[in-house]
Amino acid sequence: MYRLPDERRRMSALLQARGLSVAYGAAPPVLSHVDFTLSPGEIVTIVGPNGSGKSTLLRALLGMIPGVQGSVTRAAGLRVGYVPQKLHLDPNMPLPVSRFLRLERKLSRDEIATLLMRTGAQGLEARELSTLSGGQFQRVLLARALAGDPQLLVLDEPTQGLDQPGTAAFYRLIEEVRREIGCAVLSVSHDLHVVMSASDRVVCLNGHVCCEGTPSVVSNAPEYRALFGLGTGGALALYQHHHDHGMDHPDHPHDHETCTHDH
Amino acid sequence: MIIDDFVLRALAAGLLVALATGPLGCFVVWRRMAYFGDATAHASILGVALSLGFGVSLFAGTLATALAMALLVSALAGRGWALDTTLGVMAHAALALGLVAVSFLHGVRVDLNAFLFGDILTVRGTDLWVMAGGALAVCGLMLWRWEALLTATISEDLARSLGLNPDRERLILTLALALVVAVALKVVGALLIGALLVIPPAAARNFARTPEQMALVSVALAAISVVLGLGASLTLDTPAGPSIVVAASALFALSVITGAVKKGGR
């Protein structure tokens, strides 16, 4: 049976939002009329200033909070590995890494060792979560997210509190993991510089989708510059080789690459 | 030596309470709900006044007011009220209101001390059955929801991403707390229930390496406190409820010292 390319893309999408608006209580909506599609294997980064609704979009897409308008659809039986923004762990809870990885999941000792090895956190099984460094902690969170063999890895500001080398190393690790298991990666960041090098597509958010496209398109968009200032121009040179990334995916064109939204 | 029936009943009542407060107290500590526990417990005095005034069972009356208080505080916290201040207001208001309400009960002579500090040596056989039901219900809830409660305590976002509903887990804890208050009122009294929820888990923290160990050690330490406190009460003629709490506090102090020595030795 013949299907239009656009329809085929929709059928195979992991996540899709149509006209999604989200509000907390009676307050004005945090997000309004957001359209969003995530295809298998795609790396998409949502960027935006504080309070722009990045985390809210992530939660709504995963069904953690309801929308007030529009629709969210997820592929049937979608396996999601979620890396939360941060944990407010009370130091009075004795929680070794191995027990944390086994939350709501049955894992053997070997499986735990393999997961920790894969994220560069080998040998931390018996350490208490509250005694880990920032970098080790993120690697353990990532290991837990990988435990269910996810089709989609979701990261909410994963490098908060990491220094620059730590951030770079963590993103390299995510790229590595993605190459290995071929999952899609959806992350949220307020730091476009580091994320850009790995992303197929960047969605710039400020209550609504300001602009969307390959990293180069977004970083040159006037909407993006209005939000983040002009200081990004020079740093982008580092990532020139990714500018034609869209060519690698002829079957899902970036239909939002021109930014027409008015501010 | 012949042990009197009332001592055995007191012991059984104390051990039942230890069984329920151990695991629940861990969540009270992990979620920093100590004040929440106090507010719920204090509300039970109002429940005592209402039960005696309307002639309904004490267990039902205290359970109902404790549950109402716990739900009210939960709802206020959900609306973004500053929890610490709100709880402070509610805890003291409930206690004062209860004491005033008790003073209106003319026909009945009420031994207020028994409700404030417990009266474990007067536990009757029928009390024991009700307490057993309540304590086992709390244990059942804890066992049934353990993994979900633990996950929601560690991170609500993580719990949601795994398809759990943290609001429901919070409601389960609220219900368990109200049950524990109703069960423990006779044993340590409204003013000291909070102590039994917090002190054994705080002591257990120094020996436990996993959340499950902490819950089990809490039950064990609470049980030892009950035995020591009852023993002291019988031999030294001290009040039983406060003696149990003193024993628990002594175990806590010991655990801190042992913990410090272990750390220093490493």
Side-chain angles (χ1 to χ4, degrees):
Chain A
M1 190 182 125
Y2 177 76
R3 266 197 205 112
L4 293 169
D6 188 49
E7 190 191 346
R8 197 181 62 205
R9 182 183 167 197
R10 199 172 304 149
M11 298 297 283
S12 66
L14 296 179
L15 286 177
Q16 190 164 47
R18 282 278 164 264
L20 177 69
S21 297
V22 182
Y24 293 109
V30 184
L31 287 176
S32 34
H33 307 295
V34 173
D35 291 329
F36 181 86
T37 303
L38 184 76
S39 304
E42 215 181 358
I43 305 186
V44 175
T45 303
I46 302 170
V47 294
N50 289 334
S52 59
K54 300 176 302 251
S55 293
T56 302
L57 177 58
L58 216 60
R59 286 158 195 227
L61 286 171
L62 294 183
M64 288 156 65
I65 49 172
V68 289
Q69 226 176 31
S71 66
V72 175
T73 39
R74 284 175 291 277
L78 179 65
R79 297 188 305 277
V80 178
Y82 178 73
V83 177
Q85 197 170 62
K86 47 186 175 280
L87 302 185
H88 302 281
L89 205 61
D90 191 280
N92 279 312
M93 186 191 289
L95 189 64
V97 167
S98 58
R99 179 68 184 89
F100 177 67
L101 294 181
R102 275 202 303 266
L103 279 178
E104 292 282 335
R105 225 171 238 134
K106 285 197 165 55
L107 292 174
S108 71
R109 197 174 290 214
D110 285 347
E111 285 168 317
I112 287 174
T114 311
L115 281 170
L116 290 175
M117 182 76 82
R118 182 189 267 171
T119 58
Q122 58 272 24
L124 294 182
E125 282 92 338
R127 284 277 296 279
E128 274 193 23
L129 230 56
S130 51
T131 66
L132 299 180
S133 73
Q136 290 172 325
F137 195 78
Q138 288 303 334
R139 282 158 198 271
V140 168
L141 285 184
L142 182 62
R144 198 212 62 84
L146 294 176
D149 187 25
Q151 298 159 280
L152 168 61
L153 195 58
V154 178
L155 307 115
D156 193 352
E157 304 240 13
T159 60
Q160 253 184 1
L162 297 188
D163 58 10
Q164 235 171 12
T167 303
F170 190 69
Y171 277 122
R172 270 201 302 278
L173 174 63
I174 290 173
E175 280 186 68
E176 229 175 82
V177 164
R178 195 203 83 101
R179 262 202 307 278
E180 228 174 279
I181 65 176
C183 59
V185 178
L186 177 62
S187 69
V188 149
S189 174
H190 56 247
D191 187 3
L192 185 60
H193 298 64
V194 188
V195 161
M196 282 188 81
S197 64
S199 303
D200 294 324
R201 194 152 54 96
V202 173
V203 178
C204 178
L205 201 69
N206 192 24
H208 57 273
V209 177
C210 287
C211 51
E212 182 178 2
T214 58
S216 63
V217 167
V218 168
S219 57
N220 289 318
E223 290 83 0
Y224 171 76
R225 298 205 161 194
L227 279 178
F228 285 93
L230 297 167
T232 50
L236 280 167
L238 291 169
Y239 305 106
Q240 286 290 344
H241 60 287
H242 285 286
H243 281 191
D244 52 5
H245 220 121
M247 306 296 269
D248 302 339
H249 305 274
D251 54 347
H252 47 94
H254 299 292
D255 40 15
H256 282 78
E257 287 190 6
T258 46
C259 303
T260 51
H261 208 98
D262 282 330
H263 282 267
Chain B
M1 189 179 120
I2 298 161
I3 300 175
D4 285 310
D5 274 358
F6 76 93
V7 176
L8 284 179
R9 281 198 300 270
L11 191 64
L15 294 179
L16 282 170
V17 168
L19 200 60
T21 53
L24 181 63
C26 287
F27 284 107
V28 168
V29 167
W30 295 333
R31 290 177 166 240
R32 305 184 189 185
M33 289 166 62
Y35 223 176
F36 191 113
D38 277 344
T40 308
H42 290 179
S44 63
I45 291 295
L46 186 59
V48 168
L50 292 175
S51 313
L52 296 176
F54 292 105
V56 293
S57 107
L58 265 179
F59 187 85
T62 49
L63 180 61
T65 47
L67 191 58
M69 174 59 120
L71 290 174
L72 182 64
V73 172
S74 266
L76 289 178
R79 284 169 168 248
W81 286 46
L83 200 54
D84 196 49
T85 309
T86 312
L87 283 176
V89 171
M90 308 281 284
H92 299 304
L95 183 60
L97 193 63
L99 295 175
V100 169
V102 169
S103 77
F104 279 118
L105 298 172
H106 290 301
V108 229
R109 269 194 43 214
V110 184
D111 179 12
L112 207 49
N113 268 334
F115 296 112
L116 289 175
F117 304 108
D119 197 9
I120 194 173
L121 295 173
T122 64
V123 170
R124 292 167 303 165
T126 45
D127 294 337
L128 215 48
W129 284 112
V130 177
M131 291 175 71
L136 291 178
V138 171
C139 275
L141 275 176
M142 294 291 108
L143 279 176
W144 172 47
R145 301 306 303 168
W146 181 262
E147 197 74 11
L149 284 168
L150 195 61
T151 308
T153 301
I154 289 166
S155 164
E156 296 208 339
D157 282 344
L158 197 63
R160 284 200 190 89
S161 81
L162 292 167
L164 302 170
N165 180 355
D167 297 331
R168 191 176 82 146
E169 304 311 327
R170 198 177 307 118
L171 191 67
I172 286 172
L173 279 182
T174 306
L175 177 67
L177 197 57
L179 266 172
V180 159
V181 166
V183 167
L185 184 69
K186 190 89 181 170
V187 174
V188 283
L191 291 184
L192 293 174
I193 291 171
L196 219 50
L197 281 171
V198 170
I199 298 174
R205 171 64 180 106
N206 292 306
F207 304 114
R209 301 179 64 89
T210 64
E212 290 75 20
Q213 276 180 17
M214 184 160 152
L216 290 175
V217 176
S218 295
V219 172
L221 291 178
I224 294 170
S225 307
V226 164
V227 173
L228 290 177
L230 265 184
S233 173
L234 290 172
T235 51
L236 309 170
D237 200 24
T238 53
S243 302
I244 291 170
V245 176
V246 166
S249 307
L251 289 177
F252 171 74
L254 269 177
S255 83
V256 171
I257 294 166
T258 339
V261 169
K262 260 201 308 195
K263 244 182 216 144
R266 255 188 239 147

